[in-house]
Amino acid sequence: NGEMRLASAILSFSSAEAPICCITTNHGEPLYDEDGNINEEYTAFAKTIEGAGYILQPLDLENEEIPENCRMIITFNPKEDFKAYGSLGENGVSEIEKLDRYLDNAYTFFYVCDRTTPVLTNLEEYLQEWGITVSRVSDSAGTYENYSIKDTAMNVDAGVGDRLLGNYATNGLGASLTTELRSLGYPPSVVFGNSTAISVADNYNKTYVQADETEGTQAYEYYSYARNGVYRYMYDIFTTYDSATAQIGGETYEMATSEKLFKIMTITQEYRQIQEDNYSTVNDASYVLALASTDFVSNEVLNSTAYGNTDVLLSCLRRTSREVIPVNIDLKAFYIYDIDENSMSDETNKAYTVCFAVIPALIVFAVGTVVIVKRKYM
């Protein structure tokens, strides 16, 4: 990814101080091993974060303070719950309170889960305040199982359906993160493997936006929350297609429809206006990203030039960063498959075609003739 490496180098020189991205480590997250090194399976994920201009740093949220220059915290498929009031642990620290205070400073939290992520009561109750719930069901014994999202039509695993193709959102805040990719003649495929789904919390209200033919925008929906002066808005970044199904126990539990697609990547914004002077205000927003697929950031996917996962991840990391970039670097994806039809005339095209077809044949004929004559008279 040449664009990523070039932008990363420019960021390191143009920024006064590089922002920090912290990865939580004290809840069974699999990104770091016991020696504090990135696990081999996710080295590409770490390089992509660094390629977005961040300094990567592990964080024990219970026992360590969040660094002052931390712009993003990532919690990757945790197996143990966060500490909160009522379950503070030995240190008497509420990790949820620390996370909440952090997001009051207009930064970003990135939560990644999949089919295997267990019920995490404290963390999930907090995420519900940002509109995010993991789609799951329970049986009569109180055993929970996450949705397993499959799509036997739109996939990259020969019809199995476990590695499904994401459906780009085309309007709203989530769509703005993929504008450059969608503007290409052939937007790159984005793959979600081992995926569950994200549902909208009950305390969020749906708002339906009508299509506008004059502006060329399609109809879409988003979800909002307003309470005690807090305003939050939840948007899709990627959904499934209407051919997807949610499996429970290997059986189809729910089917997607064109009106109700499964959400697999979302963004929630807390809108916060700060008065700069008597005449202007600035939106000092904070964000929570939710991704329902851990395979989305696996080495196999991020290192592949066939998929757009790396570019989506880069865009999300950069656009939600609070670091000011003086040179205003935008994403420039290298996905150009079309020949410039206006670069040459029809006569020139024909001339090139004749040259490439005839000249190699003449060269081979001439060389062959010389060889045959030499062999005959030697």
Side-chain angles (χ1 to χ4, degrees):
N1 193 324
E3 186 270 342
M4 179 184 72
R5 296 182 182 183
L6 178 61
S8 178
I10 296 174
L11 282 169
S12 65
F13 285 102
S14 63
S15 301
E17 185 178 6
I20 295 172
C21 176
C22 287
I23 309 291
T24 59
T25 59
N26 56 315
H27 312 97
E29 298 92 336
L31 276 183
Y32 283 91
D33 60 23
E34 295 179 354
D35 297 325
N37 300 314
I38 295 291
N39 275 315
E40 284 296 323
E41 186 180 356
Y42 299 110
T43 52
F45 185 28
K47 290 179 181 178
T48 303
I49 296 171
E50 293 171 342
Y54 290 92
I55 295 174
L56 196 60
Q57 181 173 316
L59 173 66
D60 182 339
L61 191 58
E62 181 180 2
N63 299 300
E64 299 174 354
E65 294 301 319
I66 300 172
E68 183 178 354
N69 199 36
C70 177
R71 300 293 187 264
M72 177 173 288
I73 295 176
I74 298 177
T75 294
F76 186 87
N77 198 23
K79 303 303 180 184
E80 299 173 9
D81 202 1
F82 280 43
K83 297 294 188 297
Y85 293 117
S87 57
L88 294 179
E90 296 180 358
N91 293 333
V93 174
S94 171
E95 296 175 285
I96 296 298
E97 183 183 12
K98 291 173 71 172
L99 180 60
D100 192 43
R101 288 202 308 266
Y102 166 79
L103 288 174
D104 282 341
N105 292 321
Y107 299 144
T108 301
F109 179 59
F110 191 177
Y111 179 63
V112 185
C113 61
D114 65 15
R115 300 172 183 175
T116 66
T117 307
V119 177
L120 305 168
T121 303
N122 295 332
L123 178 58
E124 291 181 11
E125 285 182 355
Y126 180 69
L127 288 174
Q128 286 177 17
E129 297 180 18
W130 293 84
I132 300 161
T133 63
V134 179
S135 300
R136 56 167 66 99
V137 296
S138 63
D139 58 20
S140 57
T143 302
Y144 286 88
E145 182 176 346
N146 298 353
Y147 277 14
S148 293
I149 303 299
K150 294 192 175 186
D151 193 331
T152 56
M154 303 297 292
N155 59 71
V156 295
D157 55 3
V160 176
D162 280 326
R163 304 183 69 194
L164 52 103
L165 291 171
N167 181 18
Y168 286 89
T170 55
N171 288 287
L173 175 62
S176 71
L177 299 176
T178 60
T179 299
E180 288 83 3
L181 296 177
R182 290 183 293 105
S183 67
L184 300 172
Y186 297 93
S189 299
V190 180
V191 180
F192 296 79
N194 195 35
S195 180
T196 184
I198 298 165
S199 298
V200 181
D202 294 337
N203 56 345
Y204 274 62
N205 299 312
K206 180 191 292 187
T207 299
Y208 186 79
V209 180
Q210 298 284 349
D212 189 333
E213 295 183 1
T214 59
E215 295 292 332
T217 58
Q218 302 175 358
Y220 71 101
E221 60 189 33
Y222 67 91
Y223 299 83
S224 61
Y225 168 95
R227 184 173 300 172
N228 299 327
V230 175
Y231 302 93
R232 292 173 180 159
Y233 305 92
M234 182 179 181
Y235 299 85
D236 295 334
I237 303 176
F238 283 93
T239 65
T240 65
Y241 289 90
D242 58 10
S243 50
T245 61
Q247 306 281 320
I248 294 292
E251 302 292 334
T252 298
Y253 180 80
E254 185 177 350
M255 301 179 66
T257 66
S258 57
E259 290 78 24
K260 187 179 180 182
L261 304 171
F262 297 117
K263 303 176 187 298
I264 47 181
M265 191 173 187
T266 65
I267 183 170
T268 305
Q269 177 194 54
E270 181 174 319
Y271 186 78
R272 186 185 300 108
Q273 282 194 335
I274 303 297
Q275 192 77 31
E276 281 195 323
D277 52 42
N278 293 333
Y279 303 99
S280 63
T281 60
V282 62
N283 179 23
D284 199 35
S286 52
Y287 302 93
V288 173
L289 293 157
L291 171 62
S293 166
T294 52
D295 285 0
F296 180 96
V297 298
S298 65
N299 287 352
E300 179 184 1
V301 174
L302 292 184
N303 287 331
S304 172
T305 58
Y307 308 130
N309 292 46
T310 296
D311 290 309
V312 170
L313 185 58
L314 279 171
S315 181
C316 291
L317 292 170
R318 290 177 183 165
R319 298 295 178 83
T320 58
S321 170
R322 300 299 302 171
E323 187 70 8
V324 177
I325 304 173
V327 291
N328 192 25
I329 299 174
D330 288 325
L331 173 68
K332 300 297 181 185
F334 294 155
Y335 292 98
I336 301 175
Y337 301 107
D338 295 332
I339 297 175
D340 187 354
E341 297 178 355
N342 298 320
S343 62
M344 296 185 293
S345 65
D346 290 341
E347 291 73 15
T348 305
N349 289 333
K350 291 178 182 178
Y352 274 114
T353 301
V354 171
C355 289
F356 285 127
V358 175
I359 291 177
L362 291 175
I363 293 173
V364 172
F365 177 77
V367 172
T369 301
V370 171
V371 171
I372 290 173
V373 171
K374 285 187 175 182
R375 285 182 176 180
K376 183 177 181 180
Y377 292 100
M378 287 181 65

